[in-house]
Amino acid sequence: MQLLKDRILKDGKCIGTDILKVDSFLNHQIDVALVAEIGREFARLFAGLGVNKILTIEASGIPMAYATAHAMGDLPLVFAKKTTPNTMTDGVYSAEVKSFTKGTISHVIVNQNYLGPNDTVLLIDDFLAHGEAASGLAEICRKAGAKCVGLGAVIEKKHQGGAEKLRKQGLKVESLAVITSLADGKIEFDN
Amino acid sequence: MQLLKDRILKDGKCIGTDILKVDSFLNHQIDVALVAEIGREFARLFAGLGVNKILTIEASGIPMAYATAHAMGDLPLVFAKKTTPNTMTDGVYSAEVKSFTKGTISHVIVNQNYLGPNDTVLLIDDFLAHGEAASGLAEICRKAGAKCVGLGAVIEKKHQGGAEKLRKQGLKVESLAVITSLADGKIEFDN
């Protein structure tokens, strides 16, 4: 998605070789027109797969997941909540998600009322790095008996390997900007 | 907003006398068509005030804040982040927010790059109870030199007094459903 790649080059900031900050337009301050366009692009990429629910994880995935749900005909949107491990998990599906960036493990949960065998789910998130968050959400779908068809990621950091891992699980992965390197403060895309 | 009140009566659940659960359609699973309508209603209620930025707090305020930003012509949306007290606060505006429901105090922060004297800000949130979250966001606006014109709350629990407190601070407060009592498991609106 050229509009997005241009914006990343203009406003993205590299921190070290692993972190790309896009908080001026994507995950702290949000460019709503850009995110609406992102939603339309995901709707196009995942059309015809019978998706009837969008699943993301709080908080920064919510805007693009909302935009996608809207573009796909106002589908219901569920966001998994982060909670501390060992919190009461009655009535919820849960999974562990490791954050390589923050060095933390969080529990993510979805109320059992909002995901089930009748759901064909598309995962949406802002970043795809090691694929931990998406794997956790896919695990929650399996526990709920829901079908998870794929992941739409706004920005993929290809060198961190998440997309390959998820495709091996049978997911269709579509990333709107695929970054191959952040070395030396320079953002490189795969095409 | 009749559509919202009908939905609250249909799907809302009272827990004790203070908590109204609406997580089947508003803040865990999201009815995207309803939230889009909520955004259009806030855009109508706050038209003509020169609003050029929407501010909310992660995570459950994000969908309705996004919908409002979109309905007001794709305004930039900023969501304040919750963090633990005493975290590094260089380069951010911060405020303390007490949660009566959870019995916790959290720090909320906004990067100084995304709020300033040129901003005329509308706050959006899912709930207005004691007004602590909105007061914290208004404090952040003051620290940034931004003008905060008001708060749009989807559901106000009037008996908890937040709206009155915020109006005394000069804010225009508009709530789409105003609840006066949750006693005996019965949801009562003010009209």
Side-chain angles (χ1 to χ4, degrees), chain A residues 14-63:
Chain A
C14 301
I15 300 177
T17 56
D18 281 346
I19 298 177
L20 173 67
K21 281 195 75 157
V22 288
D23 63 1
S24 65
F25 61 98
L26 202 65
N27 52 20
H28 182 17
Q29 180 169 251
I30 316 291
D31 180 331
V32 170
L34 176 66
V35 170
E37 192 59 41
I38 284 168
R40 284 188 287 270
E41 184 67 4
F42 282 136
R44 191 182 67 75
L45 290 166
F46 290 96
L49 299 175
V51 172
N52 65 4
K53 193 164 275 188
I54 305 295
L55 178 63
T56 188
I57 192 166
E58 64 178 10
S60 53
I62 297 175

mmCIF file of all heavy atoms in Angstrom, chain A residues 14-63:
data_model
loop_
_atom_site.group_PDB
_atom_site.id
_atom_site.type_symbol
_atom_site.label_atom_id
_atom_site.label_comp_id
_atom_site.label_asym_id
_atom_site.label_seq_id
_atom_site.Cartn_x
_atom_site.Cartn_y
_atom_site.Cartn_z
ATOM 1 N N CYS A 14 13.040 5.046 13.417
ATOM 2 C CA CYS A 14 13.696 3.808 13.854
ATOM 3 C C CYS A 14 14.321 4.010 15.217
ATOM 4 O O CYS A 14 14.970 5.022 15.466
ATOM 5 C CB CYS A 14 14.820 3.425 12.889
ATOM 6 S SG CYS A 14 14.256 3.168 11.218
ATOM 7 N N ILE A 15 14.164 2.999 16.072
ATOM 8 C CA ILE A 15 14.886 2.980 17.342
ATOM 9 C C ILE A 15 15.647 1.667 17.379
ATOM 10 O O ILE A 15 15.047 0.598 17.484
ATOM 11 C CB ILE A 15 13.924 3.108 18.532
ATOM 12 C CG1 ILE A 15 13.150 4.425 18.426
ATOM 13 C CG2 ILE A 15 14.681 3.044 19.848
ATOM 14 C CD1 ILE A 15 12.128 4.623 19.522
ATOM 15 N N GLY A 16 16.964 1.754 17.265
ATOM 16 C CA GLY A 16 17.760 0.539 17.160
ATOM 17 C C GLY A 16 17.427 -0.188 15.866
ATOM 18 O O GLY A 16 17.008 0.428 14.879
ATOM 19 N N THR A 17 17.593 -1.516 15.857
ATOM 20 C CA THR A 17 17.359 -2.275 14.626
ATOM 21 C C THR A 17 16.026 -3.012 14.649
ATOM 22 O O THR A 17 15.664 -3.671 13.677
ATOM 23 C CB THR A 17 18.464 -3.335 14.416
ATOM 24 O OG1 THR A 17 18.487 -4.166 15.588
ATOM 25 C CG2 THR A 17 19.820 -2.682 14.238
ATOM 26 N N ASP A 18 15.276 -2.907 15.744
ATOM 27 C CA ASP A 18 14.051 -3.696 15.877
ATOM 28 C C ASP A 18 12.766 -2.878 15.980
ATOM 29 O O ASP A 18 11.689 -3.381 15.687
ATOM 30 C CB ASP A 18 14.123 -4.596 17.120
ATOM 31 C CG ASP A 18 14.959 -5.836 16.861
ATOM 32 O OD1 ASP A 18 15.245 -6.109 15.680
ATOM 33 O OD2 ASP A 18 15.328 -6.504 17.834
ATOM 34 N N ILE A 19 12.881 -1.634 16.421
ATOM 35 C CA ILE A 19 11.657 -0.883 16.722
ATOM 36 C C ILE A 19 11.436 0.235 15.706
ATOM 37 O O ILE A 19 12.338 1.017 15.405
ATOM 38 C CB ILE A 19 11.715 -0.307 18.159
ATOM 39 C CG1 ILE A 19 11.793 -1.459 19.169
ATOM 40 C CG2 ILE A 19 10.497 0.574 18.443
ATOM 41 C CD1 ILE A 19 11.930 -1.025 20.606
ATOM 42 N N LEU A 20 10.217 0.263 15.172
ATOM 43 C CA LEU A 20 9.791 1.350 14.292
ATOM 44 C C LEU A 20 8.661 2.084 14.999
ATOM 45 O O LEU A 20 7.620 1.497 15.289
ATOM 46 C CB LEU A 20 9.291 0.788 12.955
ATOM 47 C CG LEU A 20 8.663 1.796 11.993
ATOM 48 C CD1 LEU A 20 9.703 2.789 11.487
ATOM 49 C CD2 LEU A 20 7.994 1.077 10.825
ATOM 50 N N LYS A 21 8.895 3.362 15.293
ATOM 51 C CA LYS A 21 7.846 4.148 15.946
ATOM 52 C C LYS A 21 6.990 4.838 14.906
ATOM 53 O O LYS A 21 7.498 5.567 14.047
ATOM 54 C CB LYS A 21 8.456 5.209 16.877
ATOM 55 C CG LYS A 21 8.909 4.626 18.195
ATOM 56 C CD LYS A 21 9.168 5.700 19.227
ATOM 57 C CE LYS A 21 7.889 6.270 19.762
ATOM 58 N NZ LYS A 21 8.050 6.887 21.109
ATOM 59 N N VAL A 22 5.691 4.602 14.990
ATOM 60 C CA VAL A 22 4.746 5.232 14.066
ATOM 61 C C VAL A 22 3.629 5.902 14.866
ATOM 62 O O VAL A 22 2.503 5.988 14.414
ATOM 63 C CB VAL A 22 4.161 4.201 13.070
ATOM 64 C CG1 VAL A 22 5.207 3.772 12.056
ATOM 65 C CG2 VAL A 22 3.603 2.986 13.803
ATOM 66 N N ASP A 23 4.007 6.381 16.061
ATOM 67 C CA ASP A 23 2.948 6.860 16.940
ATOM 68 C C ASP A 23 2.445 8.253 16.578
ATOM 69 O O ASP A 23 1.502 8.729 17.189
ATOM 70 C CB ASP A 23 3.325 6.740 18.422
ATOM 71 C CG ASP A 23 4.508 7.569 18.815
ATOM 72 O OD1 ASP A 23 5.058 8.269 17.949
ATOM 73 O OD2 ASP A 23 4.875 7.534 19.997
ATOM 74 N N SER A 24 3.014 8.879 15.559
ATOM 75 C CA SER A 24 2.461 10.172 15.128
ATOM 76 C C SER A 24 1.255 10.011 14.208
ATOM 77 O O SER A 24 0.500 10.953 14.001
ATOM 78 C CB SER A 24 3.535 11.004 14.431
ATOM 79 O OG SER A 24 3.946 10.381 13.228
ATOM 80 N N PHE A 25 1.064 8.788 13.652
ATOM 81 C CA PHE A 25 -0.081 8.630 12.740
ATOM 82 C C PHE A 25 -0.817 7.299 12.882
ATOM 83 O O PHE A 25 -1.901 7.132 12.351
ATOM 84 C CB PHE A 25 0.335 8.822 11.277
ATOM 85 C CG PHE A 25 1.370 7.828 10.779
ATOM 86 C CD1 PHE A 25 0.983 6.710 10.063
ATOM 87 C CD2 PHE A 25 2.720 8.031 11.019
ATOM 88 C CE1 PHE A 25 1.918 5.797 9.598
ATOM 89 C CE2 PHE A 25 3.672 7.119 10.564
ATOM 90 C CZ PHE A 25 3.273 6.004 9.856
ATOM 91 N N LEU A 26 -0.252 6.337 13.628
ATOM 92 C CA LEU A 26 -0.881 5.012 13.634
ATOM 93 C C LEU A 26 -1.278 4.469 15.006
ATOM 94 O O LEU A 26 -2.301 3.800 15.113
ATOM 95 C CB LEU A 26 0.040 4.002 12.936
ATOM 96 C CG LEU A 26 -0.646 2.753 12.404
ATOM 97 C CD1 LEU A 26 -1.615 3.102 11.289
ATOM 98 C CD2 LEU A 26 0.384 1.737 11.892
ATOM 99 N N ASN A 27 -0.481 4.715 16.049
ATOM 100 C CA ASN A 27 -0.866 4.067 17.302
ATOM 101 C C ASN A 27 -0.740 4.902 18.583
ATOM 102 O O ASN A 27 -0.657 4.344 19.678
ATOM 103 C CB ASN A 27 -0.156 2.712 17.458
ATOM 104 C CG ASN A 27 1.338 2.802 17.270
ATOM 105 O OD1 ASN A 27 1.907 3.881 17.393
ATOM 106 N ND2 ASN A 27 1.981 1.677 17.011
ATOM 107 N N HIS A 28 -0.774 6.222 18.426
ATOM 108 C CA HIS A 28 -0.963 7.075 19.606
ATOM 109 C C HIS A 28 -1.794 8.268 19.129
ATOM 110 O O HIS A 28 -2.916 8.467 19.568
ATOM 111 C CB HIS A 28 0.388 7.495 20.178
ATOM 112 C CG HIS A 28 0.325 8.338 21.421
ATOM 113 N ND1 HIS A 28 -0.797 8.429 22.205
ATOM 114 C CD2 HIS A 28 1.255 9.136 22.023
ATOM 115 C CE1 HIS A 28 -0.544 9.248 23.234
ATOM 116 N NE2 HIS A 28 0.681 9.695 23.130
ATOM 117 N N GLN A 29 -1.238 9.007 18.156
ATOM 118 C CA GLN A 29 -2.080 9.885 17.348
ATOM 119 C C GLN A 29 -2.455 9.098 16.082
ATOM 120 O O GLN A 29 -1.598 8.449 15.477
ATOM 121 C CB GLN A 29 -1.335 11.163 16.980
ATOM 122 C CG GLN A 29 -2.170 12.113 16.129
ATOM 123 C CD GLN A 29 -1.539 13.484 15.996
ATOM 124 O OE1 GLN A 29 -2.023 14.444 16.562
ATOM 125 N NE2 GLN A 29 -0.444 13.575 15.253
ATOM 126 N N ILE A 30 -3.728 9.161 15.705
ATOM 127 C CA ILE A 30 -4.220 8.343 14.593
ATOM 128 C C ILE A 30 -4.645 9.241 13.438
ATOM 129 O O ILE A 30 -5.457 10.155 13.629
ATOM 130 C CB ILE A 30 -5.475 7.530 15.017
ATOM 131 C CG1 ILE A 30 -5.311 6.883 16.390
ATOM 132 C CG2 ILE A 30 -5.866 6.521 13.952
ATOM 133 C CD1 ILE A 30 -4.339 5.786 16.457
ATOM 134 N N ASP A 31 -4.120 8.964 12.258
ATOM 135 C CA ASP A 31 -4.609 9.609 11.035
ATOM 136 C C ASP A 31 -5.831 8.813 10.573
ATOM 137 O O ASP A 31 -5.706 7.734 9.988
ATOM 138 C CB ASP A 31 -3.511 9.617 9.972
ATOM 139 C CG ASP A 31 -3.974 10.286 8.686
ATOM 140 O OD1 ASP A 31 -5.189 10.258 8.380
ATOM 141 O OD2 ASP A 31 -3.116 10.825 7.974
ATOM 142 N N VAL A 32 -6.995 9.344 10.870
ATOM 143 C CA VAL A 32 -8.242 8.602 10.682
ATOM 144 C C VAL A 32 -8.510 8.311 9.202
ATOM 145 O O VAL A 32 -8.986 7.228 8.844
ATOM 146 C CB VAL A 32 -9.410 9.359 11.354
ATOM 147 C CG1 VAL A 32 -10.759 8.769 10.983
ATOM 148 C CG2 VAL A 32 -9.221 9.341 12.875
ATOM 149 N N ALA A 33 -8.185 9.253 8.328
ATOM 150 C CA ALA A 33 -8.400 9.033 6.889
ATOM 151 C C ALA A 33 -7.505 7.892 6.397
ATOM 152 O O ALA A 33 -7.945 7.036 5.614
ATOM 153 C CB ALA A 33 -8.118 10.314 6.105
ATOM 154 N N LEU A 34 -6.259 7.854 6.852
ATOM 155 C CA LEU A 34 -5.345 6.770 6.474
ATOM 156 C C LEU A 34 -5.848 5.428 6.994
ATOM 157 O O LEU A 34 -5.840 4.416 6.270
ATOM 158 C CB LEU A 34 -3.934 7.057 7.025
ATOM 159 C CG LEU A 34 -2.902 5.955 6.794
ATOM 160 C CD1 LEU A 34 -2.590 5.791 5.305
ATOM 161 C CD2 LEU A 34 -1.608 6.241 7.571
ATOM 162 N N VAL A 35 -6.305 5.417 8.249
ATOM 163 C CA VAL A 35 -6.773 4.160 8.845
ATOM 164 C C VAL A 35 -8.046 3.670 8.139
ATOM 165 O O VAL A 35 -8.226 2.460 7.932
ATOM 166 C CB VAL A 35 -6.957 4.310 10.373
ATOM 167 C CG1 VAL A 35 -7.675 3.099 10.971
ATOM 168 C CG2 VAL A 35 -5.593 4.476 11.050
ATOM 169 N N ALA A 36 -8.905 4.593 7.724
ATOM 170 C CA ALA A 36 -10.105 4.190 6.966
ATOM 171 C C ALA A 36 -9.690 3.528 5.652
ATOM 172 O O ALA A 36 -10.272 2.514 5.229
ATOM 173 C CB ALA A 36 -10.995 5.398 6.713
ATOM 174 N N GLU A 37 -8.665 4.069 5.016
ATOM 175 C CA GLU A 37 -8.146 3.496 3.764
ATOM 176 C C GLU A 37 -7.542 2.103 4.024
ATOM 177 O O GLU A 37 -7.729 1.170 3.227
ATOM 178 C CB GLU A 37 -7.087 4.446 3.181
ATOM 179 C CG GLU A 37 -6.669 4.148 1.770
ATOM 180 C CD GLU A 37 -7.829 4.191 0.785
ATOM 181 O OE1 GLU A 37 -8.675 5.088 0.893
ATOM 182 O OE2 GLU A 37 -7.901 3.286 -0.068
ATOM 183 N N ILE A 38 -6.841 1.970 5.131
ATOM 184 C CA ILE A 38 -6.288 0.671 5.546
ATOM 185 C C ILE A 38 -7.419 -0.356 5.716
ATOM 186 O O ILE A 38 -7.321 -1.503 5.260
ATOM 187 C CB ILE A 38 -5.490 0.843 6.870
ATOM 188 C CG1 ILE A 38 -4.137 1.514 6.577
ATOM 189 C CG2 ILE A 38 -5.301 -0.483 7.601
ATOM 190 C CD1 ILE A 38 -3.389 1.990 7.819
ATOM 191 N N GLY A 39 -8.506 0.059 6.336
ATOM 192 C CA GLY A 39 -9.656 -0.829 6.515
ATOM 193 C C GLY A 39 -10.220 -1.295 5.178
ATOM 194 O O GLY A 39 -10.534 -2.478 4.998
ATOM 195 N N ARG A 40 -10.322 -0.362 4.221
ATOM 196 C CA ARG A 40 -10.846 -0.731 2.900
ATOM 197 C C ARG A 40 -9.911 -1.710 2.189
ATOM 198 O O ARG A 40 -10.349 -2.635 1.502
ATOM 199 C CB ARG A 40 -11.071 0.529 2.048
ATOM 200 C CG ARG A 40 -12.314 1.307 2.466
ATOM 201 C CD ARG A 40 -12.640 2.455 1.501
ATOM 202 N NE ARG A 40 -11.717 3.579 1.627
ATOM 203 C CZ ARG A 40 -11.882 4.613 2.450
ATOM 204 N NH1 ARG A 40 -12.940 4.672 3.228
ATOM 205 N NH2 ARG A 40 -10.996 5.589 2.499
ATOM 206 N N GLU A 41 -8.609 -1.516 2.374
ATOM 207 C CA GLU A 41 -7.636 -2.411 1.737
ATOM 208 C C GLU A 41 -7.730 -3.830 2.318
ATOM 209 O O GLU A 41 -7.722 -4.822 1.582
ATOM 210 C CB GLU A 41 -6.219 -1.836 1.910
ATOM 211 C CG GLU A 41 -5.123 -2.617 1.225
ATOM 212 C CD GLU A 41 -5.193 -2.587 -0.304
ATOM 213 O OE1 GLU A 41 -6.055 -1.887 -0.862
ATOM 214 O OE2 GLU A 41 -4.378 -3.304 -0.936
ATOM 215 N N PHE A 42 -7.842 -3.936 3.637
ATOM 216 C CA PHE A 42 -8.009 -5.268 4.244
ATOM 217 C C PHE A 42 -9.312 -5.915 3.782
ATOM 218 O O PHE A 42 -9.363 -7.124 3.529
ATOM 219 C CB PHE A 42 -7.986 -5.188 5.772
ATOM 220 C CG PHE A 42 -6.611 -5.037 6.361
ATOM 221 C CD1 PHE A 42 -6.367 -4.136 7.396
ATOM 222 C CD2 PHE A 42 -5.545 -5.806 5.902
ATOM 223 C CE1 PHE A 42 -5.098 -3.998 7.948
ATOM 224 C CE2 PHE A 42 -4.266 -5.674 6.451
ATOM 225 C CZ PHE A 42 -4.052 -4.767 7.480
ATOM 226 N N ALA A 43 -10.377 -5.122 3.667
ATOM 227 C CA ALA A 43 -11.665 -5.661 3.208
ATOM 228 C C ALA A 43 -11.509 -6.255 1.805
ATOM 229 O O ALA A 43 -12.063 -7.322 1.507
ATOM 230 C CB ALA A 43 -12.725 -4.563 3.220
ATOM 231 N N ARG A 44 -10.722 -5.581 0.964
ATOM 232 C CA ARG A 44 -10.494 -6.057 -0.395
ATOM 233 C C ARG A 44 -9.662 -7.355 -0.373
ATOM 234 O O ARG A 44 -9.985 -8.332 -1.050
ATOM 235 C CB ARG A 44 -9.755 -4.961 -1.179
ATOM 236 C CG ARG A 44 -9.664 -5.170 -2.677
ATOM 237 C CD ARG A 44 -8.871 -4.063 -3.352
ATOM 238 N NE ARG A 44 -7.448 -4.052 -2.996
ATOM 239 C CZ ARG A 44 -6.540 -4.907 -3.461
ATOM 240 N NH1 ARG A 44 -6.897 -5.867 -4.283
ATOM 241 N NH2 ARG A 44 -5.270 -4.817 -3.081
ATOM 242 N N LEU A 45 -8.616 -7.359 0.443
ATOM 243 C CA LEU A 45 -7.693 -8.499 0.475
ATOM 244 C C LEU A 45 -8.326 -9.764 1.058
ATOM 245 O O LEU A 45 -7.918 -10.879 0.729
ATOM 246 C CB LEU A 45 -6.435 -8.143 1.281
ATOM 247 C CG LEU A 45 -5.502 -7.120 0.632
ATOM 248 C CD1 LEU A 45 -4.486 -6.586 1.645
ATOM 249 C CD2 LEU A 45 -4.779 -7.744 -0.567
ATOM 250 N N PHE A 46 -9.293 -9.588 1.949
ATOM 251 C CA PHE A 46 -9.890 -10.758 2.606
ATOM 252 C C PHE A 46 -11.349 -10.972 2.190
ATOM 253 O O PHE A 46 -12.114 -11.646 2.876
ATOM 254 C CB PHE A 46 -9.779 -10.627 4.123
ATOM 255 C CG PHE A 46 -8.369 -10.759 4.635
ATOM 256 C CD1 PHE A 46 -7.586 -9.642 4.885
ATOM 257 C CD2 PHE A 46 -7.791 -12.013 4.828
ATOM 258 C CE1 PHE A 46 -6.273 -9.757 5.343
ATOM 259 C CE2 PHE A 46 -6.486 -12.146 5.285
ATOM 260 C CZ PHE A 46 -5.722 -11.008 5.540
ATOM 261 N N ALA A 47 -11.717 -10.412 1.038
ATOM 262 C CA ALA A 47 -13.087 -10.608 0.538
ATOM 263 C C ALA A 47 -13.300 -12.067 0.130
ATOM 264 O O ALA A 47 -12.353 -12.759 -0.245
ATOM 265 C CB ALA A 47 -13.338 -9.682 -0.647
ATOM 266 N N GLY A 48 -14.531 -12.550 0.211
ATOM 267 C CA GLY A 48 -14.878 -13.867 -0.312
ATOM 268 C C GLY A 48 -14.492 -15.039 0.567
ATOM 269 O O GLY A 48 -14.589 -16.194 0.146
ATOM 270 N N LEU A 49 -14.024 -14.773 1.772
ATOM 271 C CA LEU A 49 -13.605 -15.869 2.662
ATOM 272 C C LEU A 49 -14.655 -16.170 3.735
ATOM 273 O O LEU A 49 -14.422 -16.986 4.624
ATOM 274 C CB LEU A 49 -12.269 -15.528 3.328
ATOM 275 C CG LEU A 49 -11.090 -15.309 2.369
ATOM 276 C CD1 LEU A 49 -9.848 -14.865 3.135
ATOM 277 C CD2 LEU A 49 -10.801 -16.595 1.595
ATOM 278 N N GLY A 50 -15.772 -15.478 3.672
ATOM 279 C CA GLY A 50 -16.843 -15.749 4.628
ATOM 280 C C GLY A 50 -16.614 -15.168 6.013
ATOM 281 O O GLY A 50 -17.263 -15.588 6.983
ATOM 282 N N VAL A 51 -15.719 -14.211 6.104
ATOM 283 C CA VAL A 51 -15.424 -13.607 7.416
ATOM 284 C C VAL A 51 -16.686 -12.956 7.987
ATOM 285 O O VAL A 51 -17.374 -12.198 7.295
ATOM 286 C CB VAL A 51 -14.308 -12.540 7.275
ATOM 287 C CG1 VAL A 51 -14.126 -11.765 8.583
ATOM 288 C CG2 VAL A 51 -13.000 -13.185 6.845
ATOM 289 N N ASN A 52 -17.005 -13.287 9.245
ATOM 290 C CA ASN A 52 -18.171 -12.656 9.875
ATOM 291 C C ASN A 52 -17.835 -12.009 11.219
ATOM 292 O O ASN A 52 -18.730 -11.530 11.925
ATOM 293 C CB ASN A 52 -19.333 -13.658 10.021
ATOM 294 C CG ASN A 52 -19.015 -14.791 10.978
ATOM 295 O OD1 ASN A 52 -17.942 -14.810 11.607
ATOM 296 N ND2 ASN A 52 -19.917 -15.737 11.097
ATOM 297 N N LYS A 53 -16.552 -11.985 11.568
ATOM 298 C CA LYS A 53 -16.149 -11.315 12.813
ATOM 299 C C LYS A 53 -14.680 -10.880 12.716
ATOM 300 O O LYS A 53 -13.857 -11.588 12.140
ATOM 301 C CB LYS A 53 -16.334 -12.257 14.012
ATOM 302 C CG LYS A 53 -16.238 -11.588 15.356
ATOM 303 C CD LYS A 53 -16.822 -12.469 16.484
ATOM 304 C CE LYS A 53 -18.322 -12.316 16.620
ATOM 305 N NZ LYS A 53 -18.891 -12.987 17.792
ATOM 306 N N ILE A 54 -14.393 -9.712 13.279
ATOM 307 C CA ILE A 54 -13.017 -9.196 13.325
ATOM 308 C C ILE A 54 -12.534 -9.302 14.771
ATOM 309 O O ILE A 54 -13.256 -8.936 15.695
ATOM 310 C CB ILE A 54 -12.963 -7.719 12.871
ATOM 311 C CG1 ILE A 54 -13.597 -7.550 11.482
ATOM 312 C CG2 ILE A 54 -11.533 -7.207 12.897
ATOM 313 C CD1 ILE A 54 -12.887 -8.251 10.365
ATOM 314 N N LEU A 55 -11.311 -9.799 14.934
ATOM 315 C CA LEU A 55 -10.742 -9.927 16.275
ATOM 316 C C LEU A 55 -9.402 -9.215 16.326
ATOM 317 O O LEU A 55 -8.556 -9.393 15.435
ATOM 318 C CB LEU A 55 -10.563 -11.415 16.619
ATOM 319 C CG LEU A 55 -9.922 -11.765 17.965
ATOM 320 C CD1 LEU A 55 -10.772 -11.276 19.148
ATOM 321 C CD2 LEU A 55 -9.714 -13.293 18.087
ATOM 322 N N THR A 56 -9.206 -8.393 17.350
ATOM 323 C CA THR A 56 -7.914 -7.737 17.551
ATOM 324 C C THR A 56 -7.590 -7.762 19.043
ATOM 325 O O THR A 56 -8.259 -8.444 19.818
ATOM 326 C CB THR A 56 -7.911 -6.301 16.990
ATOM 327 O OG1 THR A 56 -6.570 -5.776 17.044
ATOM 328 C CG2 THR A 56 -8.818 -5.372 17.794
ATOM 329 N N ILE A 57 -6.548 -7.050 19.404
ATOM 330 C CA ILE A 57 -6.088 -7.043 20.787
ATOM 331 C C ILE A 57 -5.940 -5.583 21.201
ATOM 332 O O ILE A 57 -5.532 -4.754 20.390
ATOM 333 C CB ILE A 57 -4.770 -7.857 20.877
ATOM 334 C CG1 ILE A 57 -4.347 -8.153 22.293
ATOM 335 C CG2 ILE A 57 -3.653 -7.191 20.115
ATOM 336 C CD1 ILE A 57 -3.252 -9.229 22.352
ATOM 337 N N GLU A 58 -6.363 -5.268 22.428
ATOM 338 C CA GLU A 58 -6.247 -3.879 22.835
ATOM 339 C C GLU A 58 -4.787 -3.480 22.970
ATOM 340 O O GLU A 58 -3.973 -4.332 23.244
ATOM 341 C CB GLU A 58 -6.998 -3.648 24.160
ATOM 342 C CG GLU A 58 -6.403 -4.414 25.331
ATOM 343 C CD GLU A 58 -7.126 -4.132 26.651
ATOM 344 O OE1 GLU A 58 -8.190 -3.512 26.670
ATOM 345 O OE2 GLU A 58 -6.581 -4.569 27.675
ATOM 346 N N ALA A 59 -4.417 -2.198 22.836
ATOM 347 C CA ALA A 59 -5.288 -1.112 22.460
ATOM 348 C C ALA A 59 -5.009 -0.670 21.024
ATOM 349 O O ALA A 59 -5.919 -0.265 20.315
ATOM 350 C CB ALA A 59 -5.035 0.088 23.381
ATOM 351 N N SER A 60 -3.766 -0.793 20.556
ATOM 352 C CA SER A 60 -3.421 -0.089 19.323
ATOM 353 C C SER A 60 -3.954 -0.762 18.065
ATOM 354 O O SER A 60 -3.968 -0.155 17.000
ATOM 355 C CB SER A 60 -1.911 0.125 19.222
ATOM 356 O OG SER A 60 -1.222 -1.075 19.381
ATOM 357 N N GLY A 61 -4.449 -2.010 18.171
ATOM 358 C CA GLY A 61 -5.057 -2.641 17.012
ATOM 359 C C GLY A 61 -6.496 -2.188 16.756
ATOM 360 O O GLY A 61 -7.048 -2.434 15.679
ATOM 361 N N ILE A 62 -7.092 -1.536 17.740
ATOM 362 C CA ILE A 62 -8.525 -1.253 17.658
ATOM 363 C C ILE A 62 -8.916 -0.337 16.490
ATOM 364 O O ILE A 62 -9.871 -0.646 15.770
ATOM 365 C CB ILE A 62 -9.064 -0.713 19.011
ATOM 366 C CG1 ILE A 62 -8.917 -1.782 20.109
ATOM 367 C CG2 ILE A 62 -10.530 -0.298 18.886
ATOM 368 C CD1 ILE A 62 -9.312 -1.319 21.509
ATOM 369 N N PRO A 63 -8.194 0.764 16.250
ATOM 370 C CA PRO A 63 -8.660 1.636 15.149
ATOM 371 C C PRO A 63 -8.707 0.926 13.796
ATOM 372 O O PRO A 63 -9.717 1.022 13.074
ATOM 373 C CB PRO A 63 -7.636 2.781 15.152
ATOM 374 C CG PRO A 63 -7.151 2.837 16.570
ATOM 375 C CD PRO A 63 -7.095 1.400 17.008
#
